Amino acid sequence: MVSRVIPVDPFDLVIFGATGDLAQRKILPALFRRHCDGQLPQSARILGAARRDMLAAEFRDLVADGLHRGVPDADPDQIRSFLARLDYLALDATEDTDDTTQTTGWQALVDTLGSPQTDRVRVFYFSVGPSLFAPLAEQIWAHGLADTNTRIVVEKPFGHDLASARALNKTLASHFDEGQIYRIDHYLGKETVQNLMAVRFGNMLFEPLWNSQYIDHIQITVAEMVGVAGRESYYDRTGAMRDMMQNHLMQLLCLIAMEPPAKFDPDAVRDEKLKVIRALEPVEPHHIVRGQYVRPTGATSEDLTYRETVGAERSTTESYVALKAHISNWRWAGTPFYLRTGKRLVARSSVINVFFKDAPHSIFGADAGRHANLLTIRLQPDEGITLKVTIKEPGPGGMRLIDVPLDMSFAQALGDNIQNATDAYERLITDVIRGNQTLFMRGDEVEAAWAWTDPIIAGWGARGDVPKPYDSGSTGPGDADLLLRRDGRDWRGIKP
Ligand code: NAP
């Protein structure tokens, strides 16, 4: 049942920021697993680059350490053969050195890579801070390192607001075509996120009911147990709205709400996602709740508050956000989408709940109570789908109705195949090499998402909004519950 492993075309991959956390923890282990599966052709080369001056052998040692930690059951022979593909060059993204005798710097990169070749894909992965994206694009171009067969991969965050995203798009566009730019949102590479499209468009069952006539409302929850430790300074400048809502939750919303694309093709899918973002109504200030985690009563002082973690006593950055969104189109008019995400919540859980409307008339009378179908799509952990259906309670005593789950855990249904499923970075990196942009955000999509987000953030600033405190380990601030209760609804519980 597992898909066949088809080797990708020969490629040279340059990872800028190869000594950093993302490269060591995600990108290189992902490449290693593809190597183990025989998906990387013999001639594929992986070149690390960063400012730190070190030999290729030292870089290989660094990667080997990371693999031993991140892939504990890795076969030592496989590690050895993977390391043999790796090389390293010290260079600074922002500085040029014209000294051609140097073994470091951009000229050394030119010498190592040679001229771009039509039969060899060349990928530059920008795993560095966003301020280096533009200098890197310029250096690559200035050194003649790119041609039409060259792709660049740009990590999130893609801009801080609409203006910065536009400026970045413009700089990248002056050197690369949109078809060469791969903006990563690793959420889109998750098996279950893609399953959203398979469930919606691969089954006749759901699509006829997928509209405001049959769906009462939809809840999208991305809850995390971790706090912001390790990313304090970045997070305090960013907040949950920019870090999660503008990209991950927005992408989930698009996949749930979009029209069926004519085909599973990058631009057809991204055109439909863009239409959803553009149809989003501005969010009313009373339809959004911000929160910041605090220490629960009785907890020890080791349980740091958000402000203690980031070391800013008066920080007004939100670690939680919940909002009600409306999509102004024929399909969704009148069906609200409730979205929430937060840190230090009760459980780690990403889930989409689709609440269907009550049957128009109950033939069982008032005593039977209210029963409506609920489709739950669990993205993590324990990926799967549950459909709550109404049946007769077994036994004598008349027609009493109960709701039971039709439950499918992908782990149970697919066994090892789901355990062995490729992780998001593996899938996304091989998609880049194959030239498939379906799971990457297009420039106009990113800008439209910022255009919707910016006024919300500007409104908080203008109103001097202060996030509501919520206890670490809870489900978020009480006001988020009121957001739904005012509409006669409740959040579905956050379960591990
Ligand atoms: P990091 O640990 O700080 O690593 C940054 C890398 O960039 C290091 O290898 C650093 O090495 C290199 N670098 C810095 N300045 C440079 C320069 N002028 N020229 C060349 N190389 C330079 O950062 P990270 O966590 O890996 O994140 C990298 C990017 O991915 C960021 O945009 C981040 O937002 C994004 N991201 C990270 C994660 C994650 O889980 N870490 C998740 C999603 C997105 P030297 O100092 O030796 O040059």
Side-chain angles (χ1 to χ4, degrees):
M1 239 194 293
V2 122
S3 45
R4 274 182 312 134
V5 174
I6 302 169
V8 295
D9 288 340
F11 66 88
D12 288 332
L13 167 64
V14 180
I15 306 171
F16 294 110
T19 56
D21 175 66
L22 182 71
Q24 293 293 323
R25 224 169 25 85
K26 293 285 182 187
I27 303 170
L28 286 156
L31 286 161
F32 171 66
R33 282 191 287 265
R34 293 298 86 223
H35 166 86
C36 295
D37 264 359
Q39 203 163 14
L40 309 188
Q42 198 64 42
S43 67
R45 292 193 296 174
I46 300 165
L47 186 69
R51 286 171 307 178
R52 196 194 310 179
D53 201 7
M54 64 175 160
L55 300 170
E58 293 172 282
F59 177 65
R60 290 188 194 113
D61 287 346
L62 181 75
V63 176
D65 281 350
L67 293 178
H68 285 127
R69 270 196 311 275
V71 194
D73 55 350
D75 173 354
D77 286 342
Q78 293 280 27
I79 293 191
R80 257 192 300 281
S81 55
F82 177 69
L83 295 178
R85 294 179 183 278
L86 304 187
D87 205 346
Y88 179 81
L89 260 180
L91 58 69
D92 189 326
T94 59
E95 273 177 25
D96 199 1
T97 44
D98 284 336
D99 181 356
T100 50
T101 60
Q102 292 232 8
T103 52
T104 60
W106 285 92
Q107 187 54 45
L109 181 60
V110 173
D111 295 342
T112 307
L113 287 178
S115 309
Q117 294 160 16
T118 44
D119 58 349
R120 203 169 170 81
V121 176
R122 184 171 285 186
V123 178
F124 294 104
Y125 198 128
F126 295 6
S127 180
V128 290
S131 63
L132 297 177
F133 295 167
L136 278 177
E138 274 152 20
Q139 295 280 16
I140 290 168
W141 183 252
H143 286 88
L145 283 164
D147 72 352
T148 49
N149 211 14
T150 300
R151 286 148 210 173
I152 57 167
V153 183
V154 186
E155 264 298 335
K156 87 167 223 192
F158 199 86
H160 191 70
D161 53 17
L162 178 58
S164 54
R166 263 194 192 141
L168 188 50
N169 273 337
K170 205 165 155 209
T171 309
L172 297 183
S174 60
H175 302 305
F176 298 97
D177 290 340
E178 183 59 37
Q180 296 177 281
I181 304 170
Y182 290 72
R183 296 174 195 78
I184 274 206
D185 179 341
H186 72 274
Y187 237 71
L188 282 181
K190 286 181 188 287
E191 188 79 20
T192 37
V193 172
Q194 291 169 76
N195 237 330
L196 287 179
M197 282 186 276
V199 167
R200 277 197 60 194
F201 304 128
N203 294 290
M204 191 58 194
L205 189 63
F206 298 117
E207 203 46 33
L209 306 178
W210 213 255
N211 55 55
S212 59
Q213 197 183 340
Y214 297 102
I215 294 182
D216 178 70
H217 74 283
I218 293 180
Q219 298 181 7
I220 303 179
T221 298
V222 177
E224 296 179 284
M225 289 177 86
V226 292
V228 299
R231 305 169 69 205
E232 297 87 349
S233 139
Y234 164 77
Y235 197 91
D236 203 43
R237 283 180 278 119
T238 308
M241 189 71 197
R242 287 190 174 98
D243 190 49
M244 296 293 288
M245 189 66 80
Q246 184 269 351
N247 38 68
H248 300 329
L249 279 91
M250 177 76 85
Q251 290 295 325
L252 295 181
L253 173 68
C254 287
L255 295 175
I256 277 289
M258 72 185 188
E259 296 300 317
K263 51 186 170 174
F264 190 59
D265 143 301
D267 277 325
V269 171
R270 296 185 302 175
D271 285 346
E272 295 307 334
K273 281 164 49 194
L274 179 62
K275 284 185 208 160
V276 173
I277 305 175
R278 290 197 171 146
L280 277 170
E281 287 177 16
V283 179
E284 305 271 345
H286 61 285
H287 286 165
I288 184 155
V289 176
R290 292 205 302 158
Q292 203 180 60
Y293 60 83
V294 296
R295 193 172 12 260
T297 319
T300 67
S301 56
E302 278 165 29
D303 196 345
L304 297 184
T305 66
Y306 174 83
R307 290 179 178 183
E308 288 165 351
T309 310
V310 298
E313 262 176 44
R314 304 167 84 85
S315 171
T316 57
T317 303
E318 75 286 353
S319 58
Y320 174 100
V321 65
L323 58 82
K324 174 159 97 164
H326 281 287
I327 299 171
S328 298
N329 62 19
W330 273 48
R331 187 188 280 264
W332 293 118
T335 295
F337 289 75
Y338 300 96
L339 280 57
R340 65 178 163 170
T341 180
K343 300 220 170 269
R344 294 293 285 121
L345 294 177
V346 62
R348 172 173 170 262
S349 165
S350 296
V351 63
I352 299 172
N353 282 298
V354 181
F355 291 78
F356 287 87
K357 291 187 172 170
D358 291 350
H361 166 71
S362 171
I363 63 168
F364 307 108
D367 290 348
R370 291 181 59 196
H371 297 271
N373 300 120
L374 167 66
L375 177 69
T376 300
I377 305 169
R378 296 185 302 278
L379 306 174
Q380 70 183 20
D382 185 27
E383 299 98 320
I385 292 181
T386 305
L387 180 64
K388 202 179 79 174
V389 289
T390 303
I391 60 164
K392 177 190 172 297
E393 188 177 19
M399 191 59 129
R400 284 191 301 271
L401 302 184
I402 52 167
D403 295 326
V404 292
L406 271 179
D407 201 357
M408 184 175 79
S409 150
F410 294 163
Q412 275 169 13
L414 304 174
D416 284 350
N417 293 344
I418 187 88
Q419 312 297 351
N420 296 337
T422 49
D423 96 346
Y425 275 92
E426 294 174 56
R427 173 171 301 105
L428 293 172
I429 294 170
T430 45
D431 276 0
V432 174
I433 297 164
R434 290 209 175 95
N436 184 346
Q437 290 188 302
T438 310
L439 301 176
F440 296 83
M441 288 181 296
R442 212 167 52 190
D444 50 5
E445 225 183 303
V446 175
E447 289 185 16
W450 280 121
W452 179 77
T453 309
D454 275 3
I456 296 173
I457 296 173
W460 292 333
R463 292 191 303 278
D465 186 87
V466 177
K468 303 279 183 294
Y470 65 93
D471 283 351
S472 290
S474 71
T475 55
D479 282 25
D481 296 335
L482 288 179
L483 179 70
L484 269 75
R485 237 164 257 155
R486 281 201 298 265
D487 296 342
R489 302 180 173 115
D490 284 305
W491 289 109
R492 194 91 178 133
I494 299 177
K495 295 197 191 106

